[in-house]
Amino acid sequence: MARPVRTFVVIGHRAVTAPNFSLDDVPGTSGRLDVLLRCVAAAFVLSHGIRRDTEAYLILLGPPDPPRTVWIQGERLRHLNPDERTTAALFKKALALQPSGTAWLQSTPGIAVNKMKLDQVLERLKGRDLVLLEEGGQDVQLWKPGPNPVFVVGDDKGFTDHEIAAVRKAGAQQVSVGPLALHADHCITLLQNHLDRTVGPSPFSMAP
Ligand SMILES: C[S@@+](CC[C@H](N)C(=O)[O-])C[C@H]1O[C@@H](n2cnc3c(N)ncnc32)[C@H](O)[C@@H]1O
C-alpha cells in the first residue's frame, strides 16, 4: 500500500533562480527566498526529527532563469536543520544545477530541481485532494481532509489572478486557517497541526 503523503506547493514570485545570493543576507539578496525557507522548516521540522510523510514543491519565479521547482521529499531528506541558513545552503546547491525541462536533478538526498511551471506541478498532482489556502475560504475546522491532501500556499505577495484561476481549474477547494492574513509558514504549521489532530500523524512520520 502506498504511504500517505501531505504535499505543500509554495510559489516564490521573486525568489532567485541562481545560487548567487548571500547566506549572510538571504532576505536582502535572494528575492525573499527566506519566505520559502521558513515554509520548508514549518513543513518538515519536528522537535526531534523530520516529517517523513510530507513533501513540498517550491516554485521559484525570480531572475535569472525562471522557473526552478525545488522538490523536497521528507521520506528521503537528509541534512535539513531547523535554521534558515543551512536550508539556504541546501537551496544554493539545488540552484547550482542546470535542469533543462521536467527531468529532476538531485542536489542532496531528498532535494531535486527541475523547470516545472505551476500548471505542470498541478498536472503531476492530479487526482489528489487539492486545497487553495486563502483567507475567506471554508474554515479549516469544517473542512474534511482527504487521504493525501495538496495545499497551495502563496508567498508574501499572495497569488496572481492567473495562479488562482489555474488552481481553481485544477479542482481546488478554498480553505482558510483563520480570519486574519498570516505568514505562509504559519499557515503550514497550523495545517500540519490540524492534520495531526484530525487524521493523526502517519506511523512513519518520524522514521529516522
Ligand atoms: C502573507 S500571505 C499573502 C498576503 C498577500 N499580501 C495577499 O494579500 O494575498 C501568504 C499566503 O498565506 C496564505 N494565507 C495567509 N493567511 C491565510 C488565512 N487566514 N487562511 C488561509 N491561507 C492564508 C495564503 O496562501 C497567502 O497567499
Side-chain angles (χ1 to χ4, degrees):
M1 196 179 70
R3 290 174 159 195
V5 63
R6 306 169 179 184
T7 301
F8 295 91
V9 178
V10 190
I11 306 166
H13 294 94
R14 289 159 294 161
V16 292
T17 45
N20 58 350
F21 57 89
S22 166
L23 289 180
D24 293 327
D25 181 15
V26 176
T29 60
S30 69
R32 296 309 309 273
L33 185 63
D34 58 303
V35 173
L36 273 57
L37 302 178
R38 284 193 289 279
C39 288
V40 172
F44 291 99
V45 178
L46 290 165
S47 181
H48 294 291
I50 293 291
R51 289 184 183 268
R52 301 290 173 198
D53 61 352
T54 294
E55 65 172 6
Y57 294 84
L58 294 311
I59 304 176
L60 282 50
L61 298 177
D65 185 28
R68 284 282 195 287
T69 290
V70 178
W71 178 29
I72 306 184
Q73 291 174 278
E75 195 180 346
R76 303 194 173 142
L77 190 56
R78 295 282 177 270
H79 314 307
L80 185 76
N81 293 324
D83 69 289
E84 244 170 80
R85 191 183 171 93
T86 310
T87 314
L90 291 174
F91 269 65
K92 260 186 186 284
K93 286 188 178 166
L95 292 175
L97 300 177
Q98 296 291 330
S100 60
T102 58
W104 295 105
L105 297 182
Q106 180 177 290
S107 48
T108 52
I111 302 186
V113 64
N114 73 5
K115 284 185 66 64
M116 271 185 182
K117 298 176 181 162
L118 173 64
D119 301 17
Q120 292 168 302
V121 172
L122 294 174
E123 181 63 28
R124 178 179 167 88
L125 300 170
K126 203 171 165 177
R128 305 263 305 273
D129 184 9
L130 187 63
V131 174
L132 177 67
L133 262 284
E134 273 274 72
E135 295 165 67
Q138 181 189 17
D139 186 336
V140 70
Q141 303 293 343
L142 305 173
W143 167 70
K144 244 189 152 357
N148 295 301
V150 176
F151 303 96
V152 185
V153 190
D155 63 0
D156 55 310
K157 293 287 185 194
F159 298 109
T160 65
D161 292 344
H162 171 79
E163 289 162 355
I164 290 182
V167 180
R168 284 197 185 136
K169 194 173 160 207
Q173 40 185 329
Q174 206 161 306
V175 168
S176 161
V177 292
L180 301 178
L182 304 177
H183 290 294
D185 59 318
H186 296 170
C187 294
I188 292 173
T189 301
L190 288 172
L191 283 167
Q192 289 285 38
N193 181 257
H194 182 72
L195 293 173
D196 292 345
R197 292 161 68 98
T198 51
V199 285
S202 71
F204 63 93
S205 62
M206 273 196 63

